[in-house]
Amino acid sequence: MSQKIVTADEEICWNDEDEKASGSESETEVTEETADDQQDLLSDYAATETRIELMHSRLDTLAGLGLERFTCLEYLGCRQNLIKDLSPLSSLPTLVEVDFYDNRLKRISESIGQLTRLTSLDLSFNKIRAIENVETLAQLSELFFVSNKIARIENLGALRMLTNLELGANRIRQIEGLGELEALEQLYLGKNKIAKLEGLDKLKRLRVLSIQSNRIVTMEGLDEL
């Protein structure tokens, strides 16, 4: 597994301002230059490469990278970029780990659901509002949604092999939708709006529960753990 830079409830701010070109001619030149740079970005990688790391590369799209030629790729890391769409990942069914920490994603693309070999998915520090299109990822053991805009814990019931779920720094008000995750060992829910400990009684293997900075005033709902 790839090493995580931060834990669930640590707060890291990474700010990036888009440069604005003046005039349509300048904008065209920047676009063409960016496209050329992206085509060259992976030119030194062999088609049999299993790991690609593109951290902080100012990528705003995956299109044009030629990812489809990497038929053995297992790990793709694109931390701290400007990516808004994960659709091109559908051409990489061999992926086992995907890390798009700190990008500009607003939703979880349907293409993610096609990556059925995934064991680790990190979409932390984006702008995602809903957990969706992950129901087919039955092999997942680690799932990271730290610091998004998620309001509900949902659509996770099929992830029976999940051992680590990180949902810190979101907009969650209720602990729900976890009853079928019997393999879960670590659950991070810090910095949300949770007022009551509930929905945890079936998580018999739970060893770590991180729930600081919420609205809890009574310790309850832990009798079965």
Side-chain angles (χ1 to χ4, degrees), residues 33-45:
E33 182 179 352
T34 301
D36 290 340
D37 288 345
Q38 292 196 175
Q39 288 176 358
D40 294 337
L41 199 58
L42 300 179
S43 59
D44 293 334
Y45 285 83

Side-chain angles (χ1 to χ4, degrees), residues 176-216:
E176 58 184 336
L178 300 175
E180 297 179 53
L181 304 183
E182 298 179 358
L184 201 62
E185 298 177 0
Q186 300 182 63
L187 176 60
Y188 296 87
L189 293 168
K191 297 183 70 175
N192 278 285
K193 301 179 180 182
I194 299 168
K196 182 178 181 181
L197 287 172
E198 58 185 335
L200 300 171
D201 55 302
K202 294 183 179 180
L203 305 182
K204 305 298 184 182
R205 298 186 183 181
L206 196 64
R207 296 292 179 269
V208 177
L209 175 60
S210 177
I211 198 160
Q212 75 275 17
S213 300
N214 275 280
R215 300 176 179 178
I216 296 167

Side-chain angles (χ1 to χ4, degrees), residues 18 70-71 75 84 112 122 172 175 183 190 202 212 220 222:
D18 292 331
F70 299 101
T71 56
Y75 170 81
K84 300 178 181 179
I112 286 290
D122 193 340
I172 298 167
I175 303 175
K202 294 183 179 180
Q212 75 275 17
E220 59 185 349
L222 303 175

Side-chain angles (χ1 to χ4, degrees), residues 75-211:
Y75 170 81
L76 178 61
C78 292
R79 287 188 166 214
Q80 295 184 333
N81 282 287
L82 310 170
I83 296 166
K84 300 178 181 179
D85 181 24
L86 298 180
S87 297
L89 294 185
S90 60
S91 64
L92 300 171
T94 56
L95 282 173
V96 176
E97 297 181 60
V98 168
D99 188 345
F100 279 78
Y101 175 110
D102 201 346
N103 276 274
R104 297 188 176 179
L105 302 171
K106 293 184 178 181
R107 63 182 300 270
I108 304 171
S109 171
E110 293 179 0
S111 62
I112 286 290
Q114 300 177 38
L115 307 180
T116 56
R117 297 186 184 182
L118 280 186
T119 61
S120 179
L121 175 61
D122 193 340
L123 300 181
S124 298
F125 287 83
N126 280 281
K127 300 178 181 181
I128 297 168
R129 294 182 177 275
I131 301 174
E132 58 184 347
N133 297 318
V134 298
E135 297 90 333
T136 58
L137 306 181
Q139 302 299 313
L140 272 184
S141 61
E142 297 181 317
L143 184 55
F144 304 89
F145 287 132
V146 183
S147 193
N148 277 281
K149 298 182 178 182
I150 296 170
R152 291 192 60 190
I153 305 174
E154 58 186 342
N155 299 321
L156 298 176
L159 310 185
R160 302 297 179 86
M161 297 181 66
L162 201 63
T163 60
N164 187 5
L165 176 59
E166 302 204 7
L167 287 164
N170 277 283
R171 300 176 178 179
I172 298 167
R173 295 179 179 273
Q174 181 179 2
I175 303 175
E176 58 184 336
L178 300 175
E180 297 179 53
L181 304 183
E182 298 179 358
L184 201 62
E185 298 177 0
Q186 300 182 63
L187 176 60
Y188 296 87
L189 293 168
K191 297 183 70 175
N192 278 285
K193 301 179 180 182
I194 299 168
K196 182 178 181 181
L197 287 172
E198 58 185 335
L200 300 171
D201 55 302
K202 294 183 179 180
L203 305 182
K204 305 298 184 182
R205 298 186 183 181
L206 196 64
R207 296 292 179 269
V208 177
L209 175 60
S210 177
I211 198 160

